[in-house]
Each structure stands twice: as C-alpha cells, then as structure tokens.
Amino acid sequence: MDLERSPLALPFPEIPPIAGVTLRIARAQYKQWDRCDLTYVELAEGTSVAGVFTRNVCCSTEVELGREQVKAGRARALVVNAGNSNAFTGYRGREAVEQIMEQVADHLGCTPQEVFVSSTGVIGVPLPMDKARSGVSAVLEAETCSWEQAAATIGTTDTFEKGAVAQAVIGEKRITVGGIIKGSGMIAPDMATMLGYVFTDAAVEPAFLQQCLSAANGETFSCITVDSDTSTSDTVLAFATGKAGNAPLSSFGDPGAEAFAAAIHDVCSQLAHLVVRDGEGAQKFIEVRVSGAVSDESARKVGLAIANSPLVKTAIAGGDANWGRIVMAVGKAGEPADRDKLSIGFGGVWAARDGLPLADYDEAPVAEHLQGREVNMEVDLGLGDGRATVWTCDLTHGYISINADYRS
C-alpha cells in the first residue's frame, strides 16, 4: 500500500547518539515490498531492561518469551521484524524466534535470553526461517544507521517515522532518553501500544527501570486508542546501558531519580501521542479530559468509552458538535455516572452543565473548533475528584480503505 503522510504528522526529532546503543537495518523481505524490514539494536554488556506487554490472550511467541526474559533484567540485543507478526503460528513460529535468538547470541557471545525479538504485521503466517536466518546474517554485518532509519524500518502502515527524546541530570551527569515507536491501526491500550522502544545511557537497576516504565505506561500508552483493537504483539521495552557514568538508580530515594522518571514519562507520552497522530485515516487528533469521577481509574475508563465510540469519532470527523453521543458513551462505560450532574464541553466552551443544555449555548465557536486538526473535549461527571486524559483520533473512510487492503 502506498499511504499518504498523515496531516497530523510531526517532524522526526534530533535524537543524539546514546552510548551503548548501536543501530543497524537490513532487508529480510518478510513481505513483498521494496524496503528494509529488519532492525537490529546491539546493547552494551550489563544493559538493564524492562518491559510491558499486551494482555491479548492470543499473543505472539515473541510476547510470551519477552515476558519471561525481562524477569532476568538484562539485555544485549533487540531484533524487530516488520511485515509478519508471527502470531497464531504455533511451534513453527516459536522455532523461528528461537533461531533468531540463538543466531544473535552466538554472534555476541551472550545467552539467547538476552536477545529480545519483536514482530509486527500479518497474523497467522509463520515467520520463514530461511529469510530469518539470512536477514539476521545481513543485519549483523550492516552499516550503522540513524534513529530515523530505524524508526522507518519497524513500521507497517505507519505514514511517518516516530521518535522522541528527553534529557535529565543525575548528580553531575546529563543523561539522554530516546525512543522510537510504530503504530497506526489495531491500537487500543491494554498495557502498551504496538511496538515501542526506549533507550537511555543512564545507569538504572532493572527493578527501578521497570517501576518507571510501568508508571509511565499507565498514563501514556494505556491512555490512547485508535480503533479499540488490542494487538497480539503489543510491546514496549526500555533499555538502560549505564554508559552515562551516573551512580546507579535503584529507587526514588536516589538523587536524580525523579528527574529520570520524568524523562521516561516524557518520552513515552510523546511516542503515544505520535501513534494517535498516525491513526489509520486520521484527520484530527482528539484529547478527551474527564474530571469529577469517583477515581482516576474510573475517569480513564469513561474517557476510553468516549474515545472508542465510532459514533463520537465519526461526529468529530464531520465537524458535528453532537454532544448527545458523548452522553451515550459516558452511560455505557459501566462506571458511576449521574445524568443530572454531567457537563460536556468542546474547546473550552461548555455545551451542557449539570445534565442540561445551556440556555445561552452558542455552537458557532464550537463548530469552528471542530474544523481544526486538534480537538479538545471536556467531560465533568460531578461525582468526585477522579480525573484522566485520553487521546484518540477521528474515524474516516480512510480507515476502512487501509484495512480492507491490508494483506495485499
């Protein structure tokens, strides 16, 4: 498929080299396309790793293995295949992944468990072992590449490369956090979103890295949705090479730990928003802010019910301020809500307050707001102090066109 660049795309940022991280790409040709589709990241010895993975029970072998691998807390390499998700492929899919892990481990002189593998693409087609073997051989000998090239290589229906960067100071050392992600469709938060990778030169103990990543995930990747479908391959991994020379972080009691956690959160937030901006067929980036819920988690669930509603998303696509559809979505969320306390607004203009449309409501500024590329919705449940923000995109005919032709 030849896809047009999303009108919501942002330029790829300048991510500096991160000590202990080496990027390479090659062509394994898992799909009939004229592009690189294999990314290899070599990591310094002693690199810490953390991860969050899909809860989809029909997940891929890569996810099953990754869940176990992160428990050891160490990584030496990452291999990402695009064009074939290797999910629902049984023992043949597992054999292909194990072959990749062993081939890279032999090259690096490490254990296979320190080699992480991710795959994305069509479900139900075993990863060809011959292409996997030749692809890995090629990528191990390839020239190093840029962050932007690596980001392009992990994509499938993505229309632009997605990257993010942040920095922090730990003691007297400035550390860098950089990340790349792929994702456009089959996006719904149930831990992470599609395939995302975060790298830092900071020295961080695995348990604390996991704590930071899991916390960031809850407010970023798990607060976005494009189409309510949770992928079989969703994975976000964080790697800390320790090459910045800071005193290793092991808890929030360590100097600089708060700043490091904030940098991780910042990068995850940027990456999550980029996925929504590249939602298949998306023309508008939508932020849904929910307040007045009985808890933050309840607010998040209400927000996702709104963000996942095809009726809400198509109304925004058409520039229609149909707030009755938001009322519907709040009511179906399965969370505490009171019709007579509900307030709804768009772009800072309240359309309804305390269960009633405002007598002096002027739809003109709202209609103008909905014509823009970025749309804000506000929902106040009037029940408590719980609040959350979720992000989604509109639903257009472009989504149908992309997914109807996905396997071609």
Side-chain angles (χ1 to χ4, degrees):
M1 286 181 288
D2 187 14
L3 301 175
E4 263 187 60
R5 184 178 174 86
S6 169
L8 305 173
L10 296 180
F12 195 86
E14 290 289 334
I15 304 177
I18 294 177
V21 178
T22 304
L23 308 168
R24 294 184 170 89
I25 58 174
R27 300 180 183 221
Q29 296 299 281
Y30 292 119
K31 190 174 179 179
Q32 294 302 311
W33 50 18
D34 185 25
R35 48 159 283 192
C36 289
D37 54 4
L38 183 62
T39 303
Y40 170 71
V41 184
E42 188 171 319
L43 303 159
E45 290 188 44
T47 292
S48 297
V49 63
V52 285
F53 302 86
T54 184
R55 293 192 183 100
N56 189 310
V57 296
C58 293
C59 65
S60 66
T61 290
E62 288 85 335
V63 168
E64 290 178 329
L65 290 171
R67 286 175 182 154
E68 294 302 312
Q69 289 172 267
V70 295
K71 293 177 182 178
R74 298 297 174 189
R76 284 298 317 280
L78 168 69
V79 180
V80 187
N81 309 307
N84 183 323
S85 77
N86 199 36
F88 200 66
T89 54
Y91 73 91
R92 290 177 294 175
R94 188 180 186 90
E95 287 177 347
V97 179
E98 290 176 340
Q99 173 187 282
I100 291 170
M101 293 168 65
E102 291 170 3
Q103 188 175 353
V104 174
D106 287 344
H107 175 77
L108 294 177
C110 66
T111 66
Q113 286 66 39
E114 293 176 280
V115 179
F116 287 76
V117 181
S118 297
S119 298
T120 178
V122 175
I123 294 171
V125 180
L127 199 68
M129 293 182 70
D130 56 340
K131 290 185 177 180
R133 185 180 295 106
S134 60
V136 169
S137 295
V139 83
L140 291 176
E141 301 300 325
E143 296 293 323
T144 58
C145 71
S146 68
W147 288 103
E148 189 168 5
Q149 288 173 312
T153 300
I154 66 175
T156 49
T157 59
D158 302 64
T159 70
F160 66 94
E161 293 73 44
K162 306 172 183 68
V165 64
Q167 293 187 316
V169 176
I170 303 175
E172 297 181 353
K173 303 294 184 180
R174 178 172 293 277
I175 65 95
T176 299
V177 179
I180 57 175
I181 199 165
K182 65 85 55 183
S184 183
M186 202 181 288
I187 303 294
D190 197 5
M191 62 34 67
T193 300
M194 300 308 291
L195 302 182
Y197 308 101
V198 177
F199 305 89
T200 180
D201 52 3
V204 188
E205 293 299 329
F208 185 61
L209 184 62
Q210 183 67 58
Q211 184 179 355
C212 292
L213 179 63
S214 295
N217 166 67
E219 296 180 349
T220 60
F221 299 118
S222 285
C223 287
I224 67 171
T225 181
V226 168
D227 50 21
S228 82
D229 286 333
T230 299
S231 171
T232 57
S233 304
D234 286 355
T235 298
V236 172
L237 294 170
F239 303 95
T241 67
K243 293 299 183 180
N246 63 285
L249 300 176
S250 60
S251 74
F252 278 109
D254 296 330
E258 293 281 357
F260 172 75
I264 290 288
H265 188 286
D266 185 9
V267 167
C268 290
S269 179
Q270 292 180 58
L271 294 176
H273 290 190
L274 289 169
V275 170
V276 172
R277 287 180 173 278
D278 203 17
E280 290 173 342
Q283 298 293 306
K284 298 179 183 181
F285 178 83
I286 304 170
E287 180 175 275
V288 183
R289 294 193 293 265
V290 179
S291 59
V294 296
S295 68
D296 291 349
E297 181 58 21
S298 181
R300 189 180 77 91
K301 290 179 179 178
V302 170
L304 289 172
I306 297 167
N308 279 323
S309 167
L311 287 177
V312 172
K313 290 157 72 74
T314 49
I316 300 302
D320 181 9
N322 189 344
W323 53 268
R325 294 184 176 184
I326 299 177
V327 175
M328 171 278 299
V330 171
K332 75 169 186 176
E335 293 298 310
D338 186 332
R339 175 198 63 199
D340 298 329
K341 294 182 179 180
L342 183 61
S343 301
I344 297 170
F346 300 89
V349 177
W350 291 104
R353 276 289 204 182
D354 299 321
L356 291 172
L358 293 177
D360 60 351
Y361 169 54
D362 181 2
E363 192 169 304
V366 172
E368 183 178 354
H369 176 69
L370 295 183
Q371 293 304 311
R373 292 293 188 187
E374 305 202 5
V375 173
N376 296 317
M377 297 183 197
E378 299 86 28
V379 175
D380 190 336
L381 301 177
L383 300 178
D385 298 324
R387 61 181 59 246
T389 303
V390 303
W391 298 271
T392 188
C393 57
D394 57 343
L395 181 59
T396 71
H397 195 279
Y399 181 87
I400 299 171
S401 299
I402 291 168
N403 284 283
D405 296 334
Y406 180 67
R407 291 199 303 165
S408 60

